[in-house]
Amino acid sequence: MIQDIKKKAISDLQGITSVESLEQWRIEYLGRNSQLTSILRNIRSLPENERKTVGSETNTLKELLQFEYKKFKLNLSKTNTSTNSIDVTLPGRKGNVGGLHPITSIIREITSAFGDMGFSVVEGTETELEHYNFDLLNIPANHPARDQWDTIWLDRPNRKDNLLRTHTSPMQVRVMENTTPPIRVVVPGKCYRYEATDATHEWHFHQIEGLAVAENVTFSDLKGTLYEFARRIFGPSRKVRFRCDFFPFVEPGVDMSIDWNGDWIEILGAGMVHPKVLEGVGYDSSRYTGFAFGMGPERIAMLRYNIEDIRYFFSNDLRFLSQF
Ligand code: PHE
């Protein structure tokens, strides 16, 4: 009896070509009302000496049929391309299209604002020499920024002067070394500081440096340029404020804040390029003058998009990134 069920089940299975008839087969041979189930259900009515063999043969067949069923189902789904497995009338599914990272977009927006004012874009390297990151920028040897607690120094054989740049300002020097004025460049790029992270500090972040050098560049050029930048990024009626600040590579130095709902928020440092820096690259500081500025695009994006924690930018969380 069990052998008959087996033969019939296997030969029925061979004739199956669709998911629907496979399901019919499963109900017939393995379902609640199948012969196998009813044999097992009624096993107690058999004579004592038959129960064991009938029980184990039935179970073995059941397992075999379950195995054949799964195998067949898998093959069917692989090979069956008839209309019942693909509905060609369904609308297509769109692939996921990536977007620009908010920092990339803000950098592009800022550099293109400066591009319209005649600045070109250059990039530098993220590893720098102490000489460019500090010395040529008039940052003295005992300046606290050089401390190992602020700067990430690189471990290189026989070199003690390799570091990850702490700002994009070394590119001021590198650009001047290779160019005869007039110069107008912006330099976007990544910087690193040995710093504890919190909502407003990251140990890696971006800066955009700016440099303009020529004959007769004045402080009013600096103000006019940065004012125009603020209006382009934050809207045409934006108020700005300049205050005195100190950076060793500029003189005079300032910081610029923008009016943000009644508060002054500082967004960049700037100043007239220090004569020592000009002389350091071999320029005649009585002939050329210039201004420089540096800003953090993360900070600007945080203001623009109302983001309260700088760490979101680098956490790669799609719930955050897909909002832009
Ligand atoms: N490099 C300065 C900083 O990281 C910013 C700056 C750039 C200031 C250029 C003045 C001129 O804080």
Side-chain angles (χ1 to χ4, degrees), residues 166-169 172 193 207 209 247 249-250 269-271 292-294:
T166 60
H167 52 179
T168 42
S169 302
Q172 289 184 32
R193 284 186 199 168
Q207 282 194 342
E209 193 80 11
F247 304 95
F249 36 94
V250 289
F293 56 86

PDB file of all heavy atoms in Angstrom, residues 166-169 172 193 207 209 247 249-250 269-271 292-294, ligand 1:
ATOM      1  N   THR A 166      46.193  70.299   9.525  1.00  0.00           N
ATOM      2  CA  THR A 166      45.204  70.728  10.526  1.00  0.00           C
ATOM      3  C   THR A 166      44.291  71.808   9.962  1.00  0.00           C
ATOM      4  O   THR A 166      43.304  72.175  10.575  1.00  0.00           O
ATOM      5  CB  THR A 166      45.903  71.279  11.775  1.00  0.00           C
ATOM      6  OG1 THR A 166      46.700  72.411  11.393  1.00  0.00           O
ATOM      7  CG2 THR A 166      46.819  70.220  12.389  1.00  0.00           C
ATOM      8  N   HIS A 167      44.658  72.352   8.812  1.00  0.00           N
ATOM      9  CA  HIS A 167      43.843  73.335   8.111  1.00  0.00           C
ATOM     10  C   HIS A 167      44.264  73.335   6.642  1.00  0.00           C
ATOM     11  O   HIS A 167      45.249  72.681   6.279  1.00  0.00           O
ATOM     12  CB  HIS A 167      43.958  74.734   8.735  1.00  0.00           C
ATOM     13  CG  HIS A 167      45.376  75.236   8.914  1.00  0.00           C
ATOM     14  ND1 HIS A 167      45.671  76.470   9.436  1.00  0.00           N
ATOM     15  CD2 HIS A 167      46.581  74.674   8.625  1.00  0.00           C
ATOM     16  CE1 HIS A 167      46.985  76.653   9.464  1.00  0.00           C
ATOM     17  NE2 HIS A 167      47.560  75.578   8.978  1.00  0.00           N
ATOM     18  N   THR A 168      43.496  74.019   5.794  1.00  0.00           N
ATOM     19  CA  THR A 168      43.860  74.051   4.361  1.00  0.00           C
ATOM     20  C   THR A 168      44.828  75.197   4.049  1.00  0.00           C
ATOM     21  O   THR A 168      45.289  75.333   2.919  1.00  0.00           O
ATOM     22  CB  THR A 168      42.600  74.181   3.477  1.00  0.00           C
ATOM     23  OG1 THR A 168      41.707  75.140   4.061  1.00  0.00           O
ATOM     24  CG2 THR A 168      41.892  72.844   3.340  1.00  0.00           C
ATOM     25  N   SER A 169      45.192  75.979   5.067  1.00  0.00           N
ATOM     26  CA  SER A 169      46.077  77.134   4.836  1.00  0.00           C
ATOM     27  C   SER A 169      47.442  76.804   4.220  1.00  0.00           C
ATOM     28  O   SER A 169      47.984  77.651   3.493  1.00  0.00           O
ATOM     29  CB  SER A 169      46.251  77.921   6.135  1.00  0.00           C
ATOM     30  OG  SER A 169      44.997  78.357   6.610  1.00  0.00           O
ATOM     31  N   GLN A 172      47.808  77.878   0.734  1.00  0.00           N
ATOM     32  CA  GLN A 172      48.133  79.275   0.396  1.00  0.00           C
ATOM     33  C   GLN A 172      49.583  79.343  -0.071  1.00  0.00           C
ATOM     34  O   GLN A 172      49.896  79.898  -1.117  1.00  0.00           O
ATOM     35  CB  GLN A 172      48.007  80.184   1.622  1.00  0.00           C
ATOM     36  CG  GLN A 172      46.608  80.455   2.121  1.00  0.00           C
ATOM     37  CD  GLN A 172      46.636  81.445   3.280  1.00  0.00           C
ATOM     38  OE1 GLN A 172      47.504  82.327   3.340  1.00  0.00           O
ATOM     39  NE2 GLN A 172      45.704  81.312   4.208  1.00  0.00           N
ATOM     40  N   ARG A 193      42.285  66.963  13.130  1.00  0.00           N
ATOM     41  CA  ARG A 193      42.853  67.448  14.387  1.00  0.00           C
ATOM     42  C   ARG A 193      42.694  66.389  15.453  1.00  0.00           C
ATOM     43  O   ARG A 193      41.686  65.676  15.484  1.00  0.00           O
ATOM     44  CB  ARG A 193      42.168  68.745  14.829  1.00  0.00           C
ATOM     45  CG  ARG A 193      42.666  69.908  13.995  1.00  0.00           C
ATOM     46  CD  ARG A 193      42.143  71.240  14.458  1.00  0.00           C
ATOM     47  NE  ARG A 193      42.298  72.191  13.355  1.00  0.00           N
ATOM     48  CZ  ARG A 193      41.759  73.379  13.298  1.00  0.00           C
ATOM     49  NH1 ARG A 193      41.026  73.817  14.292  1.00  0.00           N
ATOM     50  NH2 ARG A 193      41.961  74.159  12.258  1.00  0.00           N
ATOM     51  N   GLN A 207      37.548  71.992   5.141  1.00  0.00           N
ATOM     52  CA  GLN A 207      37.686  73.446   5.127  1.00  0.00           C
ATOM     53  C   GLN A 207      37.673  73.903   3.683  1.00  0.00           C
ATOM     54  O   GLN A 207      37.966  73.125   2.770  1.00  0.00           O
ATOM     55  CB  GLN A 207      39.010  73.894   5.769  1.00  0.00           C
ATOM     56  CG  GLN A 207      38.986  73.871   7.294  1.00  0.00           C
ATOM     57  CD  GLN A 207      40.151  74.634   7.908  1.00  0.00           C
ATOM     58  OE1 GLN A 207      41.162  74.913   7.262  1.00  0.00           O
ATOM     59  NE2 GLN A 207      40.009  74.963   9.186  1.00  0.00           N
ATOM     60  N   GLU A 209      39.567  76.972   1.832  1.00  0.00           N
ATOM     61  CA  GLU A 209      40.493  78.082   1.963  1.00  0.00           C
ATOM     62  C   GLU A 209      40.289  79.008   0.783  1.00  0.00           C
ATOM     63  O   GLU A 209      39.895  78.559  -0.300  1.00  0.00           O
ATOM     64  CB  GLU A 209      41.924  77.513   1.900  1.00  0.00           C
ATOM     65  CG  GLU A 209      43.001  78.468   2.327  1.00  0.00           C
ATOM     66  CD  GLU A 209      43.092  78.529   3.847  1.00  0.00           C
ATOM     67  OE1 GLU A 209      42.473  77.698   4.542  1.00  0.00           O
ATOM     68  OE2 GLU A 209      43.810  79.431   4.335  1.00  0.00           O
ATOM     69  N   PHE A 247      45.223  85.331  13.747  1.00  0.00           N
ATOM     70  CA  PHE A 247      45.813  84.153  13.114  1.00  0.00           C
ATOM     71  C   PHE A 247      47.216  84.570  12.717  1.00  0.00           C
ATOM     72  O   PHE A 247      47.385  85.643  12.117  1.00  0.00           O
ATOM     73  CB  PHE A 247      45.024  83.731  11.862  1.00  0.00           C
ATOM     74  CG  PHE A 247      43.561  83.474  12.116  1.00  0.00           C
ATOM     75  CD1 PHE A 247      42.626  84.484  11.895  1.00  0.00           C
ATOM     76  CD2 PHE A 247      43.131  82.237  12.573  1.00  0.00           C
ATOM     77  CE1 PHE A 247      41.273  84.261  12.135  1.00  0.00           C
ATOM     78  CE2 PHE A 247      41.775  82.011  12.812  1.00  0.00           C
ATOM     79  CZ  PHE A 247      40.847  83.024  12.591  1.00  0.00           C
ATOM     80  N   PHE A 249      49.189  84.013  10.396  1.00  0.00           N
ATOM     81  CA  PHE A 249      49.522  84.201   8.976  1.00  0.00           C
ATOM     82  C   PHE A 249      48.771  85.335   8.311  1.00  0.00           C
ATOM     83  O   PHE A 249      48.848  85.517   7.095  1.00  0.00           O
ATOM     84  CB  PHE A 249      49.311  82.898   8.207  1.00  0.00           C
ATOM     85  CG  PHE A 249      48.123  82.091   8.692  1.00  0.00           C
ATOM     86  CD1 PHE A 249      46.885  82.241   8.087  1.00  0.00           C
ATOM     87  CD2 PHE A 249      48.261  81.221   9.764  1.00  0.00           C
ATOM     88  CE1 PHE A 249      45.792  81.507   8.545  1.00  0.00           C
ATOM     89  CE2 PHE A 249      47.170  80.494  10.230  1.00  0.00           C
ATOM     90  CZ  PHE A 249      45.938  80.633   9.629  1.00  0.00           C
ATOM     91  N   VAL A 250      47.993  86.108   9.092  1.00  0.00           N
ATOM     92  CA  VAL A 250      47.325  87.289   8.534  1.00  0.00           C
ATOM     93  C   VAL A 250      47.536  88.490   9.443  1.00  0.00           C
ATOM     94  O   VAL A 250      47.749  88.349  10.649  1.00  0.00           O
ATOM     95  CB  VAL A 250      45.807  87.057   8.326  1.00  0.00           C
ATOM     96  CG1 VAL A 250      45.556  86.096   7.181  1.00  0.00           C
ATOM     97  CG2 VAL A 250      45.128  86.603   9.601  1.00  0.00           C
ATOM     98  N   GLY A 269      37.286  82.537   9.382  1.00  0.00           N
ATOM     99  CA  GLY A 269      38.401  83.390   9.761  1.00  0.00           C
ATOM    100  C   GLY A 269      39.016  83.956   8.495  1.00  0.00           C
ATOM    101  O   GLY A 269      38.985  83.311   7.447  1.00  0.00           O
ATOM    102  N   ALA A 270      39.565  85.164   8.596  1.00  0.00           N
ATOM    103  CA  ALA A 270      40.116  85.787   7.391  1.00  0.00           C
ATOM    104  C   ALA A 270      41.130  86.857   7.772  1.00  0.00           C
ATOM    105  O   ALA A 270      41.359  87.121   8.956  1.00  0.00           O
ATOM    106  CB  ALA A 270      38.992  86.399   6.561  1.00  0.00           C
ATOM    107  N   GLY A 271      41.720  87.473   6.776  1.00  0.00           N
ATOM    108  CA  GLY A 271      42.642  88.576   7.044  1.00  0.00           C
ATOM    109  C   GLY A 271      43.504  88.870   5.832  1.00  0.00           C
ATOM    110  O   GLY A 271      43.426  88.177   4.813  1.00  0.00           O
ATOM    111  N   ALA A 292      43.189  86.336   2.658  1.00  0.00           N
ATOM    112  CA  ALA A 292      42.951  84.890   2.750  1.00  0.00           C
ATOM    113  C   ALA A 292      41.794  84.671   3.701  1.00  0.00           C
ATOM    114  O   ALA A 292      41.504  85.502   4.561  1.00  0.00           O
ATOM    115  CB  ALA A 292      44.201  84.182   3.259  1.00  0.00           C
ATOM    116  N   PHE A 293      41.132  83.555   3.507  1.00  0.00           N
ATOM    117  CA  PHE A 293      40.051  83.204   4.442  1.00  0.00           C
ATOM    118  C   PHE A 293      39.947  81.690   4.521  1.00  0.00           C
ATOM    119  O   PHE A 293      40.439  80.969   3.645  1.00  0.00           O
ATOM    120  CB  PHE A 293      38.711  83.815   4.003  1.00  0.00           C
ATOM    121  CG  PHE A 293      38.293  83.440   2.603  1.00  0.00           C
ATOM    122  CD1 PHE A 293      37.587  82.270   2.365  1.00  0.00           C
ATOM    123  CD2 PHE A 293      38.616  84.262   1.526  1.00  0.00           C
ATOM    124  CE1 PHE A 293      37.205  81.926   1.073  1.00  0.00           C
ATOM    125  CE2 PHE A 293      38.234  83.927   0.229  1.00  0.00           C
ATOM    126  CZ  PHE A 293      37.535  82.750  -0.002  1.00  0.00           C
ATOM    127  N   GLY A 294      39.332  81.222   5.604  1.00  0.00           N
ATOM    128  CA  GLY A 294      39.129  79.785   5.761  1.00  0.00           C
ATOM    129  C   GLY A 294      37.820  79.540   6.476  1.00  0.00           C
ATOM    130  O   GLY A 294      37.506  80.216   7.450  1.00  0.00           O
TER     131      GLY A 294
HETATM  132  N1  PHE B   1      43.323  78.300   8.970  1.00  0.00           N
HETATM  133  C1  PHE B   1      42.467  79.004   9.910  1.00  0.00           C
HETATM  134  C2  PHE B   1      41.813  77.959  10.829  1.00  0.00           C
HETATM  135  O1  PHE B   1      41.904  76.801  10.565  1.00  0.00           O
HETATM  136  C3  PHE B   1      41.402  79.800   9.211  1.00  0.00           C
HETATM  137  C4  PHE B   1      41.961  80.972   8.441  1.00  0.00           C
HETATM  138  C5  PHE B   1      42.305  80.837   7.120  1.00  0.00           C
HETATM  139  C6  PHE B   1      42.107  82.205   9.055  1.00  0.00           C
HETATM  140  C7  PHE B   1      42.789  81.920   6.403  1.00  0.00           C
HETATM  141  C8  PHE B   1      42.583  83.292   8.342  1.00  0.00           C
HETATM  142  C9  PHE B   1      42.920  83.138   7.033  1.00  0.00           C
HETATM  143  O2  PHE B   1      41.199  78.304  11.828  1.00  0.00           O
END
